[in-house]
Amino acid sequence: MKAIRNLAVALIAAALVLAACSSSDDAATDAPAAGGDNADLKICMVTHGDGGGFWSVAKAGAVKAGDDLGVTFDYQESNNDAQAQAQLIEAGVSGNCDAIAVSAPNPDAIKGALAKAVQAGIPIVTMNSGSSVFKELGAFTHVGQDEFIAGQEAGLRFKAAGMTKVLCPIQEQNNIGLQQRCDGAKDTFGNVENLQLSAGLADLAQSQAEIQAKLDADSSIDAVFALNADIAYNSALPAAEASGRSIMIGTVDMSGDAVQAIVDGRISFAIDQQQYAQGYMSVVLLYLRLINAHELGGGQPIYTGPGFVTKENAATVQELASAGTR
């Protein structure tokens, strides 16, 4: 987290220095002054977010960056509806967005809309999901974690703990990032079974029932790799406790309840992709692209994770989470 925070601060400092040192030639005077009146710059973010605990933190980071830079910032989310996300992107193109950040869990559904942004000369950054396809979508970089690597690291933790079979419940359909997490765990652990949840986050009680039914039907499952903190705490944890067996639970992302469960030893770990930084850095990267033609990232993703929250550091993270930044 410290490294990410330092990088974000460094990016803003660079922007301020570059603008302050502008010469008086025509090209320089045409650029908006960092720290000055940047309200005429409109940076937009369109995600597949659902307004839940994860996306509220990502949005908070993006809003803070917009405030720090003095730009006009617009945030829209589609509640996991890929077609609605495409429509929101097109609305942003026609609505005078100067730059756009997007999440890309379903790249095929939004590539047409992003092609219109590229055609209009609008710079793009993908964030959160889309690390393997950002170039195809016309983005100059991606901000997030590599989901396959995150899954690999989870698999290693289950393996080190001596688990024999991991259940990987997937809460969204057609989200390639979630599938990559399960695939990564299978790569390092081996015996991983996916479970597509019918209702996912929309009905956590139903998700609990489906996980519990799987645990009851297969006594060899001794670990659950939840891909979302709400699924971990509200569905996987009660299902595991109802099974009467000792079942190790790890999750991706955090919530206040999930972190408390880690403190209490009921959940073993959470993978922290540091979504506040994803939101913040996406806005900063687009800002630098607009004011100084920077394309940071070197054609590669800029990773914000995976980091791990365990019982050893959960109290520190819990304090930050209460402030809405973790």
Side-chain angles (χ1 to χ4, degrees), residues 47-92:
T47 76
H48 67 288
D50 56 10
F54 177 90
W55 283 106
S56 64
V57 174
K59 178 183 178 181
V63 169
K64 182 65 164 63
D67 289 345
D68 287 347
L69 297 170
V71 301
T72 297
F73 175 70
D74 182 75
Y75 179 88
Q76 302 290 333
E77 58 186 5
S78 69
N79 195 25
N80 300 312
D81 184 331
Q83 296 304 320
Q85 187 184 14
Q87 292 169 2
L88 289 169
I89 293 169
E90 291 183 2

Side-chain angles (χ1 to χ4, degrees), residues 5-283:
R5 184 183 297 123
N6 288 344
L7 176 57
V9 171
L11 289 171
I12 295 174
L16 295 173
V17 170
L18 287 166
C21 296
S22 297
S23 65
S24 60
D25 58 61
D26 290 341
T29 55
D30 285 343
D37 184 10
N38 294 318
D40 58 334
L41 289 180
K42 183 178 181 181
I43 297 178
C44 300
M45 182 173 287
V46 182
T47 76
H48 67 288
D50 56 10
F54 177 90
W55 283 106
S56 64
V57 174
K59 178 183 178 181
V63 169
K64 182 65 164 63
D67 289 345
D68 287 347
L69 297 170
V71 301
T72 297
F73 175 70
D74 182 75
Y75 179 88
Q76 302 290 333
E77 58 186 5
S78 69
N79 195 25
N80 300 312
D81 184 331
Q83 296 304 320
Q85 187 184 14
Q87 292 169 2
L88 289 169
I89 293 169
E90 291 183 2
V93 172
S94 61
N96 299 315
C97 291
D98 293 304
I100 299 178
V102 299
S103 60
N106 190 338
D108 289 342
I110 63 172
K111 64 182 180 182
L114 289 176
K116 294 179 181 179
V118 171
Q119 201 171 39
I122 298 173
I124 301 167
V125 165
T126 58
M127 51 87 68
N128 178 257
S129 53
S131 62
S132 62
V133 296
F134 72 90
K135 291 182 182 179
E136 300 169 27
L137 296 176
F140 64 83
T141 192
H142 173 84
V143 182
Q145 74 178 4
D146 186 290
E147 305 294 9
F148 187 80
I149 293 174
Q152 286 180 312
E153 292 298 317
L156 290 173
R157 287 182 178 258
F158 288 124
K159 191 173 185 177
M163 300 297 102
T164 58
K165 185 174 183 179
V166 175
L167 182 67
C168 192
I170 300 174
Q171 74 270 10
E172 297 171 20
Q173 294 186 1
N174 302 317
N175 186 327
I176 60 172
L178 300 184
Q179 182 64 55
Q180 288 168 346
R181 293 173 185 175
C182 294
D183 290 346
K186 187 173 184 178
D187 181 68
T188 54
F189 184 82
N191 193 12
V192 175
E193 181 177 348
N194 295 358
L195 173 64
Q196 180 66 59
L197 300 174
S198 62
L201 293 167
D203 190 339
L204 292 169
Q206 177 63 25
S207 294
Q208 175 189 339
E210 292 173 4
I211 294 171
Q212 190 169 332
K214 194 65 181 177
L215 296 178
D216 291 342
D218 188 349
S219 60
S220 68
I221 297 173
D222 53 9
V224 177
F225 181 31
L227 307 181
N228 172 275
D230 291 334
I231 293 291
Y233 183 81
N234 295 294
S235 301
L237 182 58
E241 292 176 342
S243 74
R245 306 202 309 272
S246 177
I247 294 177
M248 179 180 179
I249 297 175
T251 186
V252 181
D253 302 330
M254 297 180 299
S255 67
D257 288 335
V259 174
Q260 184 60 53
I262 293 172
V263 172
D264 297 338
R266 299 167 69 202
I267 292 178
S268 295
F269 66 82
I271 293 176
D272 183 12
Q273 60 176 301
Q274 301 177 120
Q275 69 269 32
Y276 184 91
Q278 291 178 11
Y280 195 102
M281 291 175 63
S282 295
V283 174

